[in-house]
């Protein structure tokens, strides 16, 4: 007569060992591929970055208020608080037939704007993230606030002062 070597009436020892190995492999795989690697343990601190907009309407360049909230107009994400605002007349290089030379002349109604934004963020080996948005020099950013919106480029990122 043959002995029945099944536990719980359905599984034998080999089946249970195989099921446990599959579960352990699944847990290890999920941890490795779903962020179980190196976690960011850095504390949040203040960061500032400068967004430069070229050839914006002069009214737009005059609208930002220091201390006003700044958002990304594409995603609606909060970017921080306006810390400094500066503008200068937008200029173009134009060839003058009268003088036979190129001249740098201001274009009426347009300005260049420099907006410094401050927010809390974290820094890793790869990125600086301010208020949930990864900020890198050269990235294009659609900036908006109360009464203004413009497209600009990040020209500087630094620790908060």
């Amino acid at each position: 007569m043959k002995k029945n070597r099944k536990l719980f009436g359905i599984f034998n020892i080999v089946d249970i060992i195989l099921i446990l190995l599959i579960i352990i492999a699944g847990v290890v795989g999920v941890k490795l591929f779903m962020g179980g690697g190196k976690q960011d343990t850095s504390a949040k601190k203040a960061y500032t970055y400068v967004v430069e907009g070229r050839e914006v309407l002069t009214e737009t360049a005059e609208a930002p208020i220091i201390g006003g909230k700044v958002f990304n107009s594409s995603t609606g994400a909060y970017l921080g608080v306006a810390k400094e605002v500066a503008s200068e007349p937008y200029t173009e290089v134009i060839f003058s037939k009268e003088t036979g030379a190129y001249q740098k002349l201001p274009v009426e109604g347009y300005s260049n704007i420099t907006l410094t934004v401050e927010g809390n963020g974290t820094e890793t080996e790869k990125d600086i993230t301010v208020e949930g948005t990864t900020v890198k020099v050269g990235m294009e950013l659609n900036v908006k606030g109360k009464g203004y919106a413009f497209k600009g480029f990040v020209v500087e990122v630094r620790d908060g002062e």
Side-chain angles (χ1 to χ4, degrees):
M1 192 152 136
K2 200 174 190 186
K3 273 190 175 180
N4 188 2
R5 295 187 180 204
K6 297 204 178 208
L7 294 175
F8 309 116
I10 300 173
F11 301 109
N12 61 22
I13 299 277
V14 175
D15 292 338
I16 292 174
I17 291 172
L18 285 174
I19 291 171
L20 288 175
L21 286 174
I22 290 171
I23 290 173
I24 291 170
V27 169
V28 170
V30 167
K31 285 196 177 217
L32 285 176
F33 293 113
M34 296 296 213
K38 216 174 197 179
Q39 294 294 324
D40 178 30
T41 57
S42 60
K44 285 195 171 209
K45 62 181 183 177
Y47 286 92
T48 57
Y49 57 96
V50 179
V51 181
E52 183 179 277
R54 296 202 150 293
E55 197 177 355
V56 299
L57 292 172
T58 302
E59 293 83 11
T60 302
E62 295 170 353
I65 300 169
I66 294 175
K69 292 183 178 181
V70 181
F71 299 91
N72 184 331
S73 64
S74 297
T75 62
Y78 175 67
L79 298 175
V81 176
K83 186 176 178 188
E84 295 176 21
V85 180
S87 65
E88 61 183 26
Y90 172 71
T91 58
E92 283 188 349
V93 178
I94 300 171
F95 181 76
S96 173
K97 292 181 182 180
E98 298 161 354
T99 61
Y102 287 94
Q103 295 178 333
K104 197 172 193 178
L105 300 173
V107 178
E108 190 175 319
Y110 290 93
S111 297
N112 294 333
I113 183 172
T114 305
L115 179 66
T116 303
V117 180
E118 181 177 52
N120 293 322
T122 58
E123 183 175 353
T124 63
E125 291 178 13
K126 296 182 342 186
D127 295 319
I128 295 175
T129 303
V130 181
E131 300 294 348
T133 301
T134 301
V135 179
K136 296 183 180 197
V137 172
M139 77 177 277
E140 187 174 34
L141 199 57
N142 296 313
V143 178
K144 77 172 182 175
K146 189 174 182 179
Y148 67 93
F150 67 91
K151 184 182 288 190
F153 290 93
V154 177
V155 294
E156 184 181 355
V157 180
R158 60 183 183 260
D159 286 349
E161 289 112 27

